[in-house]
Amino acid sequence: MGIEAAVGVDIGGTKINLAIVDCTGKILLQKIVSTQGELGAESVMSKLVEGITELLASNQGRSVPARIIGIGIGSAGQIDNRTGTVVHALDAIDEWLYTPIKQIVESKFAYPVFVDNDVNVIAVAEKCFGAGKSLHHFVCLALGTGVGGAIIQDGRLAHGVYGGAGELGHISIDFNGPRCVCGNYGCLELYASGRGIAALANAKLTENGESSLQSVDSRKVIESWKRGETWACDVMQVVIHALSAGISSIIHTFNPEAVFIGGGVSEAGDEFFQALSCEVQRRTHSAMWEVVRIMPTTFGTHSGVIGAAAQSWAR
Ligand SMILES: [Zn+2]
């Protein structure tokens, strides 16, 4: 009999990442397909079912097939973790709202199915297999197109009423700031997401009269920041101040042992984490600061599939 393993599926706006992950957190088999959200939810769900079918067949083809115990799925948007249904959809997939993900997958495969938000599963990856394994209280922030969050308190994921807890990107850090899609003003997401950083950078370049025909994205901002270009330093100072204001509020709310940061922006490296930690320390109660560390997520871009699969062991 092979090692115990689970299927993990990470549904994003541009790609669906599928894997078979063993009970030590190691990826045994992996498959990536493009989401093509413009073709609608039904098409996305059939790609997902097809992908799982192929992975299970590949597993059977291994000399010693892993023993599959469940299927775990993480999806962008807000997911009702009780029913595995989408309750707030991302724009990238047409008709994604109210898609009964769990029900559809359960009807196709004879395994237990777990569905949660894509950032909640990153926290599950940390708790099961990552640097969060020995921790009981920590928070994850995912800096992607938007800013997502997840909270582990007393060793368990905080879900709130239906799974919506941990929307840390919508902590307001400036009550006079610009309006956010959520209805609030000056949300963290407006300054620290890929989209937010790009908007800050393009405004800065326009203000300096340096705006080229090509607009800059967050990757370009980070590259220019590392080269010490003044405009990018100005932008990253805003990003780091915004993030540290948000993280300080999060630390004061949850008194965590760690704040894990993942997603594209966190790939800015050590320099970024050092600058961020300095600024958070300056803004945080010393007793709270003494017990907390700010660090990158353990599995980087694989966090989503590993955490999705890990739901099978986290219950
Ligand atoms: Zn908001």
Side-chain angles (χ1 to χ4, degrees), residues 166-185:
E167 284 287 355
L168 304 174
H170 296 285
I171 285 181
S172 174
I173 55 163
D174 179 1
F175 65 82
N176 286 318
R179 192 87 195 257
C180 177
V181 286
C182 72
N184 206 346
Y185 295 83

Side-chain angles (χ1 to χ4, degrees), residues 78-260:
Q78 285 183 23
I79 308 299
D80 188 323
N81 67 300
R82 302 164 302 181
T83 60
T85 303
V86 182
V87 288
H88 181 79
L90 68 170
D91 309 334
I93 304 176
D94 282 352
E95 299 152 3
W96 194 233
L97 187 62
Y98 306 130
T99 300
I101 304 175
K102 181 176 154 84
Q103 194 190 325
I104 293 170
V105 178
E106 268 176 349
S107 73
K108 305 284 181 186
F109 303 97
Y111 295 109
V113 177
F114 308 101
V115 187
D116 209 329
N117 164 273
D118 58 349
V119 187
N120 281 348
V121 304
I122 292 177
V124 176
E126 289 302 333
K127 183 70 192 127
C128 283
F129 306 122
K133 201 169 176 178
S134 58
L135 307 181
H136 292 95
H137 313 279
F138 65 84
V139 171
C140 290
L141 270 182
L143 311 180
T145 313
V147 172
I151 302 149
I152 297 276
Q153 213 171 10
D154 297 316
R156 293 188 66 86
L157 199 53
H159 275 115
V161 175
Y162 65 79
E167 284 287 355
L168 304 174
H170 296 285
I171 285 181
S172 174
I173 55 163
D174 179 1
F175 65 82
N176 286 318
R179 192 87 195 257
C180 177
V181 286
C182 72
N184 206 346
Y185 295 83
C187 289
L188 178 59
E189 178 164 295
L190 298 171
Y191 307 89
S193 64
R195 210 186 292 153
I197 295 171
L200 288 171
N202 288 302
K204 184 75 197 168
L205 288 172
T206 306
E207 181 193 309
N208 290 358
E210 290 173 32
S211 77
S212 58
L213 290 173
Q214 220 182 349
S215 65
V216 295
D217 59 14
S218 60
R219 191 173 293 269
K220 172 95 171 89
V221 176
I222 289 163
E223 281 168 12
S224 305
W225 174 65
K226 285 184 162 173
R227 283 197 300 267
E229 291 177 32
T230 314
W231 69 270
C233 292
D234 291 348
V235 171
M236 285 305 285
Q237 192 179 15
V238 175
V239 174
I240 287 165
H241 280 195
L243 257 178
S244 50
I247 291 172
S248 174
S249 296
I250 292 166
I251 292 173
H252 289 138
T253 309
F254 298 106
N255 185 201
E257 299 161 282
V259 176
F260 291 99

